[in-house]
mmCIF file of all heavy atoms in Angstrom:
data_model
loop_
_atom_site.group_PDB
_atom_site.id
_atom_site.type_symbol
_atom_site.label_atom_id
_atom_site.label_comp_id
_atom_site.label_asym_id
_atom_site.label_seq_id
_atom_site.Cartn_x
_atom_site.Cartn_y
_atom_site.Cartn_z
ATOM 1 N N GLN Q 16 -59.601 49.689 -54.990
ATOM 2 C CA GLN Q 16 -58.347 50.421 -54.921
ATOM 3 C C GLN Q 16 -57.894 50.463 -53.456
ATOM 4 O O GLN Q 16 -58.634 50.857 -52.561
ATOM 5 C CB GLN Q 16 -58.490 51.835 -55.474
ATOM 6 C CG GLN Q 16 -59.492 52.728 -54.767
ATOM 7 C CD GLN Q 16 -60.907 52.433 -55.151
ATOM 8 O OE1 GLN Q 16 -61.217 51.383 -55.718
ATOM 9 N NE2 GLN Q 16 -61.829 53.316 -54.827
ATOM 10 N N GLN Q 24 -43.156 43.323 -52.171
ATOM 11 C CA GLN Q 24 -44.058 42.194 -51.987
ATOM 12 C C GLN Q 24 -43.373 41.101 -51.158
ATOM 13 O O GLN Q 24 -44.017 40.399 -50.378
ATOM 14 C CB GLN Q 24 -44.470 41.654 -53.350
ATOM 15 C CG GLN Q 24 -45.522 40.579 -53.305
ATOM 16 C CD GLN Q 24 -45.974 40.188 -54.707
ATOM 17 O OE1 GLN Q 24 -45.355 40.544 -55.707
ATOM 18 N NE2 GLN Q 24 -47.065 39.467 -54.801
ATOM 19 N N SER Q 34 -34.272 44.453 -42.239
ATOM 20 C CA SER Q 34 -35.405 44.361 -43.166
ATOM 21 C C SER Q 34 -36.142 45.695 -43.132
ATOM 22 O O SER Q 34 -36.409 46.225 -42.048
ATOM 23 C CB SER Q 34 -36.352 43.235 -42.764
ATOM 24 O OG SER Q 34 -35.676 41.997 -42.678
ATOM 25 N N ASN Q 42 -55.077 59.158 -47.737
ATOM 26 C CA ASN Q 42 -56.112 59.746 -46.886
ATOM 27 C C ASN Q 42 -55.485 60.472 -45.695
ATOM 28 O O ASN Q 42 -54.982 59.855 -44.756
ATOM 29 C CB ASN Q 42 -57.049 58.633 -46.397
ATOM 30 C CG ASN Q 42 -58.244 59.170 -45.633
ATOM 31 O OD1 ASN Q 42 -58.293 60.347 -45.281
ATOM 32 N ND2 ASN Q 42 -59.207 58.312 -45.386
ATOM 33 N N TYR Q 51 -48.857 44.682 -38.482
ATOM 34 C CA TYR Q 51 -49.237 43.355 -38.020
ATOM 35 C C TYR Q 51 -48.263 42.320 -38.581
ATOM 36 O O TYR Q 51 -47.759 42.453 -39.690
ATOM 37 C CB TYR Q 51 -50.661 43.015 -38.469
ATOM 38 C CG TYR Q 51 -51.725 43.664 -37.607
ATOM 39 C CD1 TYR Q 51 -52.097 44.989 -37.810
ATOM 40 C CD2 TYR Q 51 -52.346 42.957 -36.590
ATOM 41 C CE1 TYR Q 51 -53.065 45.581 -37.011
ATOM 42 C CE2 TYR Q 51 -53.314 43.541 -35.786
ATOM 43 C CZ TYR Q 51 -53.669 44.850 -36.003
ATOM 44 O OH TYR Q 51 -54.615 45.446 -35.212
ATOM 45 N N GLN Q 53 -47.906 38.142 -39.333
ATOM 46 C CA GLN Q 53 -48.720 36.952 -39.502
ATOM 47 C C GLN Q 53 -47.856 35.757 -39.856
ATOM 48 O O GLN Q 53 -47.086 35.795 -40.820
ATOM 49 C CB GLN Q 53 -49.777 37.165 -40.599
ATOM 50 C CG GLN Q 53 -50.724 35.991 -40.768
ATOM 51 C CD GLN Q 53 -51.741 36.212 -41.874
ATOM 52 O OE1 GLN Q 53 -51.462 36.867 -42.872
ATOM 53 N NE2 GLN Q 53 -52.943 35.686 -41.695
ATOM 54 N N PRO Q 55 -47.810 31.556 -40.921
ATOM 55 C CA PRO Q 55 -48.698 30.675 -41.696
ATOM 56 C C PRO Q 55 -49.715 29.970 -40.813
ATOM 57 O O PRO Q 55 -49.386 29.427 -39.757
ATOM 58 C CB PRO Q 55 -47.719 29.685 -42.331
ATOM 59 C CG PRO Q 55 -46.435 30.431 -42.435
ATOM 60 C CD PRO Q 55 -46.383 31.306 -41.217
ATOM 61 N N LEU Q 61 -50.862 42.203 -33.699
ATOM 62 C CA LEU Q 61 -50.273 43.540 -33.653
ATOM 63 C C LEU Q 61 -48.821 43.465 -33.216
ATOM 64 O O LEU Q 61 -48.482 42.858 -32.200
ATOM 65 C CB LEU Q 61 -51.060 44.428 -32.698
ATOM 66 C CG LEU Q 61 -50.536 45.860 -32.573
ATOM 67 C CD1 LEU Q 61 -50.735 46.609 -33.887
ATOM 68 C CD2 LEU Q 61 -51.230 46.596 -31.429
ATOM 69 N N SER Q 70 -42.571 60.919 -34.914
ATOM 70 C CA SER Q 70 -41.948 60.542 -36.184
ATOM 71 C C SER Q 70 -41.281 59.166 -36.110
ATOM 72 O O SER Q 70 -40.926 58.603 -37.149
ATOM 73 C CB SER Q 70 -40.908 61.579 -36.586
ATOM 74 O OG SER Q 70 -39.902 61.677 -35.584
ATOM 75 N N GLU Q 74 -39.665 49.515 -30.565
ATOM 76 C CA GLU Q 74 -39.965 48.489 -29.573
ATOM 77 C C GLU Q 74 -39.052 47.297 -29.846
ATOM 78 O O GLU Q 74 -39.261 46.555 -30.802
ATOM 79 C CB GLU Q 74 -41.443 48.067 -29.622
ATOM 80 C CG GLU Q 74 -42.390 49.129 -29.123
ATOM 81 C CD GLU Q 74 -43.838 48.674 -29.050
ATOM 82 O OE1 GLU Q 74 -44.116 47.501 -29.378
ATOM 83 O OE2 GLU Q 74 -44.696 49.497 -28.687
ATOM 84 N N ARG Q 76 -36.387 45.254 -31.405
ATOM 85 C CA ARG Q 76 -35.706 45.311 -32.702
ATOM 86 C C ARG Q 76 -36.575 45.919 -33.799
ATOM 87 O O ARG Q 76 -36.134 46.021 -34.947
ATOM 88 C CB ARG Q 76 -35.279 43.894 -33.108
ATOM 89 C CG ARG Q 76 -34.248 43.270 -32.155
ATOM 90 C CD ARG Q 76 -33.790 41.901 -32.631
ATOM 91 N NE ARG Q 76 -34.862 40.905 -32.574
ATOM 92 C CZ ARG Q 76 -35.496 40.428 -33.632
ATOM 93 N NH1 ARG Q 76 -35.189 40.845 -34.856
ATOM 94 N NH2 ARG Q 76 -36.443 39.506 -33.488
ATOM 95 N N PHE Q 77 -37.788 46.317 -33.466
ATOM 96 C CA PHE Q 77 -38.730 46.826 -34.451
ATOM 97 C C PHE Q 77 -38.907 48.336 -34.284
ATOM 98 O O PHE Q 77 -39.138 48.819 -33.173
ATOM 99 C CB PHE Q 77 -40.084 46.124 -34.306
ATOM 100 C CG PHE Q 77 -40.008 44.628 -34.497
ATOM 101 C CD1 PHE Q 77 -39.807 43.794 -33.410
ATOM 102 C CD2 PHE Q 77 -40.125 44.072 -35.755
ATOM 103 C CE1 PHE Q 77 -39.722 42.420 -33.582
ATOM 104 C CE2 PHE Q 77 -40.040 42.702 -35.935
ATOM 105 C CZ PHE Q 77 -39.841 41.877 -34.847
ATOM 106 N N ILE Q 92 -36.767 46.192 -39.281
ATOM 107 C CA ILE Q 92 -36.492 45.079 -38.388
ATOM 108 C C ILE Q 92 -34.974 44.950 -38.297
ATOM 109 O O ILE Q 92 -34.311 44.606 -39.284
ATOM 110 C CB ILE Q 92 -37.097 43.757 -38.891
ATOM 111 C CG1 ILE Q 92 -38.600 43.933 -39.161
ATOM 112 C CG2 ILE Q 92 -36.871 42.645 -37.868
ATOM 113 C CD1 ILE Q 92 -39.259 42.720 -39.816
ATOM 114 N N GLY Q 98 -36.717 33.532 -36.738
ATOM 115 C CA GLY Q 98 -38.063 33.587 -36.166
ATOM 116 C C GLY Q 98 -38.876 34.783 -36.621
ATOM 117 O O GLY Q 98 -40.081 34.822 -36.395
ATOM 118 N N SER Q 108 -55.954 53.807 -40.265
ATOM 119 C CA SER Q 108 -57.376 54.001 -39.999
ATOM 120 C C SER Q 108 -57.650 55.411 -39.494
ATOM 121 O O SER Q 108 -56.771 56.073 -38.932
ATOM 122 C CB SER Q 108 -57.874 52.984 -38.980
ATOM 123 O OG SER Q 108 -57.335 53.258 -37.707
ATOM 124 N N TYR Q 112 -61.167 50.931 -35.242
ATOM 125 C CA TYR Q 112 -61.715 49.631 -35.582
ATOM 126 C C TYR Q 112 -61.949 49.445 -37.082
ATOM 127 O O TYR Q 112 -62.383 48.385 -37.504
ATOM 128 C CB TYR Q 112 -63.020 49.386 -34.814
ATOM 129 C CG TYR Q 112 -64.017 50.532 -34.913
ATOM 130 C CD1 TYR Q 112 -64.858 50.644 -35.998
ATOM 131 C CD2 TYR Q 112 -64.088 51.491 -33.912
ATOM 132 C CE1 TYR Q 112 -65.755 51.685 -36.094
ATOM 133 C CE2 TYR Q 112 -64.981 52.537 -33.998
ATOM 134 C CZ TYR Q 112 -65.815 52.633 -35.089
ATOM 135 O OH TYR Q 112 -66.688 53.665 -35.182
ATOM 136 N N VAL Q 124 -35.904 35.203 -43.527
ATOM 137 C CA VAL Q 124 -34.598 35.440 -42.927
ATOM 138 C C VAL Q 124 -33.779 34.164 -43.070
ATOM 139 O O VAL Q 124 -34.144 33.115 -42.536
ATOM 140 C CB VAL Q 124 -34.716 35.849 -41.451
ATOM 141 C CG1 VAL Q 124 -33.329 36.116 -40.865
ATOM 142 C CG2 VAL Q 124 -35.613 37.071 -41.302
ATOM 143 N N ARG Q 125 -32.670 34.251 -43.798
ATOM 144 C CA ARG Q 125 -31.803 33.099 -44.042
ATOM 145 C C ARG Q 125 -30.756 32.993 -42.934
ATOM 146 O O ARG Q 125 -30.103 33.994 -42.609
ATOM 147 C CB ARG Q 125 -31.106 33.246 -45.400
ATOM 148 C CG ARG Q 125 -32.058 33.182 -46.576
ATOM 149 C CD ARG Q 125 -32.144 31.771 -47.129
ATOM 150 N NE ARG Q 125 -33.306 31.604 -47.994
ATOM 151 C CZ ARG Q 125 -33.348 31.899 -49.287
ATOM 152 N NH1 ARG Q 125 -32.255 32.407 -49.867
ATOM 153 N NH2 ARG Q 125 -34.428 31.706 -49.986
#
Side-chain angles (χ1 to χ4, degrees):
Chain Q
Q16 60 282 16
Q24 186 175 13
S34 304
N42 186 349
Y51 281 81
Q53 184 181 33
L61 180 67
S70 60
E74 290 185 1
R76 296 183 293 106
F77 300 92
I92 306 173
S108 70
Y112 50 83
V124 181
R125 294 266 164 85

